[in-house]
């Protein structure tokens, strides 16, 4: 039998998908599972994007340019301009999802055994992307009590070694929903300048900023032009997760030239999806206004409902569409499995994502779950009711 690589063997399983077989088994027993575990929005994709695919007259579905067409990148630069981010088409590379942008970014800045510091809990696939590049994730813990605000800058500084190549943040955060303040970005900017590091910001949830707080991008921060790399995506912005289009944005031309070589090796992002993504840039502001007010209502309603459950605490999110919830159980992995295997109320149960998988440090997050509020309000309320009853039974 030929041998699988050590790298392959050590690739982490997605903590979000790990419980899927249990959910499938519950469904085959006739139990309806309300999914609070994944970030697939139920929001409709803008009509302009779908129409562009429906009405296109292409006769050959040919390769696109490795970095995406000039027109698309110019329109993207225009979009960034409206967000207060001043970039040109040459500073953008279209990718196959934010996922590929993350892979290219890590591959372009770090060698095998190099280190990237990431505040935890973080988007679990960062582990997989780092592992695939042979790069080590060094976590710095952010705290539930502070709603997962930026940890003190000294905590980052303690972890910097000659192998440290960069800091990766997610803003607004998945799984925390935390929205970094301008002051926090400034602190990080000072740090990366001092130690000559890259600062990667995953801003795929940029539009999802609530409570009248404006998102502040690292590309708006003066003085870190050579350090700042933004990872972006159409997946959440336009509810186009299946399009698989994202991009990398940086004013560091050496970085862009390097990432372009990775882009050339995989030839091009998907052509039809690029057409949809370019058209999506014409989405009217009214679409976003509606979507954002829907998410704010969902967040408020969910948090209120969760707070009424004995022993449950929620870290208040101000962005994205996730929250970390502390439950009165010692191991949320066991509890999440029990919800799927042994619990039901009138034929329904809920699926949550145990939060330990979002931490790189061992032994943290075992009493936490991540909840995604991407369902309609009625379902969210029902899910909270189910959780309340389940906890009563589990702890009773
Ligand atoms: C924080 C974060 N970054 C990146 C991605 C990947 O996005 P894409 O669908 O563009 O690959 C996701 C997807 O859920 C995400 O939550």
């Amino acid at each position: 039998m030929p041998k699988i690589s050590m790298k392959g063997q050590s690739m982490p399983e997605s903590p979000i998908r790990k419980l899927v077989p249990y959910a499938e088994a519950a469904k085959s027993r006739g139990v309806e599972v309300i999914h609070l575990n994944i970030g697939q929005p139920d929001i409709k994709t803008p009509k302009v994007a779908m129409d562009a695919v429906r009405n296109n007259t292409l006769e050959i579905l040919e390769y696109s340019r490795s970095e995406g067409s000039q027109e698309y990148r110019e329109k993207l630069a225009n979009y960034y301009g409206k967000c207060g981010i001043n970039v040109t088409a040459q500073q953008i590379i279209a990718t196959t999802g934010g996922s590929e942008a993350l892979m290219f970014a890590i591959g372009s800045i770090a060698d095998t055994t190099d280190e990237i510091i990431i505040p935890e809990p973080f988007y679990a696939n960062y582990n997989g992307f780092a592992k695939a590049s042979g790069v080590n994730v060094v976590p710095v813990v952010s705290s539930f009590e502070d709603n997962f605000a930026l940890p003190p800058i000294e905590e980052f500084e303690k972890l910097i070694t000659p192998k440290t190549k960069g800091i990766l943040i997610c803003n607004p955060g998945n799984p925390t929903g935390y929205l970094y303040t301008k002051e926090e970005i400034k602190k990080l900017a000072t740090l990366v300048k001092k130690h000559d590091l890259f600062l990667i910001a995953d801003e795929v949830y940029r539009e999802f900023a609530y409570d009248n707080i404006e998102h502040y991008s690292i590309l708006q921060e003066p003085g870190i032009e050579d350090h700042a790399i933004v990872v972006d995506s159409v997946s959440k912005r336009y509810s186009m997760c299946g399009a698989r289009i994202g991009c990398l944005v940086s004013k560091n031309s050496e970085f862009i030239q390097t990432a372009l070589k990775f882009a050339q090796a995989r030839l091009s992002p998907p052509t039809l999806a690029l057409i949809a993504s370019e058209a999506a840039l014409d989405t009217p502001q009214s679409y976003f206004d509606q979507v954002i007010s829907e998410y704010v209502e969902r967040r408020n309603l969910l948090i209120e409902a969760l707070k009424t459950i004995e022993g449950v605490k929620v870290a208040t999110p101000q962005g994205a569409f996730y929250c970390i919830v502390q439950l009165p159980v010692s191991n949320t992995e066991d509890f999440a499995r029990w919800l799927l295997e042994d619990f039901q109320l009138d034929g329904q149960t809920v699926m949550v994502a145990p939060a330990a998988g979002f931490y790189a440090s061992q032994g943290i997050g075992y009493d936490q779950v991540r909840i995604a509020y991407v369902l309609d309000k009625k379902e969210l309320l029902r899910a909270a009711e189910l959780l309340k009853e389940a906890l009563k039974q589990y702890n009773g």
Side-chain angles (χ1 to χ4, degrees):
M1 177 92 157
K3 241 184 153 170
I4 293 299
S5 67
M6 290 306 291
K7 188 193 272 184
Q9 288 180 52
S10 62
M11 273 299 279
E13 234 186 331
S14 159
I16 306 159
R17 294 174 187 262
K18 211 153 83 173
L19 294 168
V20 168
Y22 298 98
E24 291 309 314
K27 286 175 197 169
S28 67
R29 292 194 308 273
V31 177
E32 186 195 334
V33 179
I34 301 183
H35 285 271
L36 297 176
N37 60 309
I38 48 171
Q40 169 58 60
D42 61 339
I43 304 286
K44 278 210 175 123
T45 304
K47 191 168 176 302
V48 274
M50 298 307 275
D51 282 349
V53 176
R54 283 190 196 105
N55 302 335
N56 90 85
T57 53
L58 279 182
E59 294 198 344
I60 306 174
L61 203 47
E62 58 192 11
Y63 290 123
S64 55
R65 274 174 64 173
S66 298
E67 64 271 48
S69 72
Q70 182 69 17
E71 299 76 52
Y72 179 45
R73 287 176 301 126
E74 271 170 15
K75 273 178 84 173
L76 267 178
N78 184 47
Y79 153 79
Y80 286 116
K82 287 190 208 146
C83 301
I85 298 168
N86 192 10
V87 287
T88 64
Q90 284 62 42
Q91 292 165 336
I92 301 172
I93 295 178
T95 56
T96 307
S99 305
E100 192 182 63
L102 282 157
M103 294 278 276
F104 290 176
I106 294 172
S108 299
I109 68 164
D111 287 307
T112 312
T113 76
D114 280 344
E115 295 167 358
I116 295 187
I117 301 175
I118 315 182
E120 63 180 356
F122 55 76
Y123 176 51
N125 284 330
Y126 293 160
N127 273 324
F129 301 138
K131 190 62 85 180
S133 296
V135 170
N136 294 325
V137 166
V138 177
V140 50
V141 66
S142 62
S143 89
F144 181 93
E145 285 68 29
D146 287 342
N147 285 327
F148 303 104
L150 191 77
I153 226 67
E154 306 80 62
E155 297 301 314
F156 284 88
E157 207 142 25
K158 275 188 213 157
L159 299 171
I160 294 174
T161 73
K163 284 189 168 294
T164 309
K165 290 297 144 77
I167 294 171
L168 167 57
I169 58 166
C170 184
N171 186 27
N174 173 8
T176 60
Y178 187 76
L179 190 59
Y180 288 108
T181 63
K182 193 170 178 174
E183 287 64 40
E184 287 171 321
I185 299 294
K186 284 190 178 299
K187 281 185 192 167
L188 284 170
T190 307
L191 183 72
V192 295
K193 274 193 288 190
K194 179 173 168 195
H195 294 275
D196 208 15
L197 302 174
F198 284 100
L199 177 60
I200 306 176
D202 179 339
E203 299 185 358
V204 306
Y205 295 96
R206 176 180 305 105
E207 272 70 19
F208 303 90
Y210 312 135
D211 306 330
N212 296 321
I213 306 174
E214 256 185 50
H215 177 263
Y216 187 67
S217 170
I218 59 166
L219 289 171
Q220 288 171 283
E221 176 62 20
I224 53 165
E225 290 74 9
D226 286 338
H227 305 260
I229 299 168
V230 159
V231 166
D232 212 341
S233 169
V234 303
S235 289
K236 315 289 165 162
R237 179 172 312 135
Y238 306 113
S239 196
M240 281 172 59
C241 295
R244 311 308 308 131
I245 297 292
C247 68
L248 272 173
V249 193
S250 179
K251 296 182 188 182
N252 178 328
S253 57
E254 203 183 346
F255 167 77
I256 288 289
Q257 290 311 317
T258 307
L260 182 58
K261 292 189 280 181
F262 286 84
Q264 287 166 346
R266 64 76 165 108
L267 304 182
S268 77
T271 301
L272 262 184
L274 278 173
I275 291 171
S277 303
E278 188 171 333
L281 286 163
D282 295 327
T283 303
Q285 184 56 37
S286 55
Y287 173 92
F288 295 106
D289 295 344
Q290 252 176 23
V291 171
I292 301 307
S293 74
E294 175 65 24
Y295 277 119
V296 169
E297 284 175 22
R298 288 175 181 188
R299 177 199 63 170
N300 295 348
L301 177 136
L302 175 73
I303 287 177
E304 279 317 303
L306 289 172
K307 280 183 176 165
T308 66
I309 308 175
E310 207 186 320
V312 169
K313 285 188 195 154
V314 193
T316 307
Q318 288 185 310
F321 33 68
Y322 307 97
C323 55
I324 293 279
V325 183
Q326 215 169 67
L327 301 180
V329 302
S330 57
N331 187 322
T332 52
E333 262 189 53
D334 292 345
F335 176 64
R337 207 175 321 114
W338 176 86
L339 278 172
L340 296 168
E341 283 194 304
D342 299 313
F343 173 77
Q344 59 148 308
L345 185 66
D346 301 327
Q348 288 180 307
T349 190
V350 279
M351 184 167 178
V352 291
F358 297 98
Y359 289 86
S361 301
Q362 295 303 307
I364 313 184
Y366 278 98
D367 58 350
Q368 298 168 10
V369 292
R370 185 196 72 171
I371 286 183
Y373 44 99
V374 289
L375 305 174
D376 72 36
K377 285 168 264 187
K378 215 171 114 213
E379 264 196 302
L380 283 175
L381 273 184
R382 176 65 183 153
E385 248 175 53
L386 290 167
L387 209 53
K388 186 175 192 167
E389 181 56 33
L391 282 166
K392 217 189 282 169
Q393 286 187 23
Y394 193 75
N395 288 332

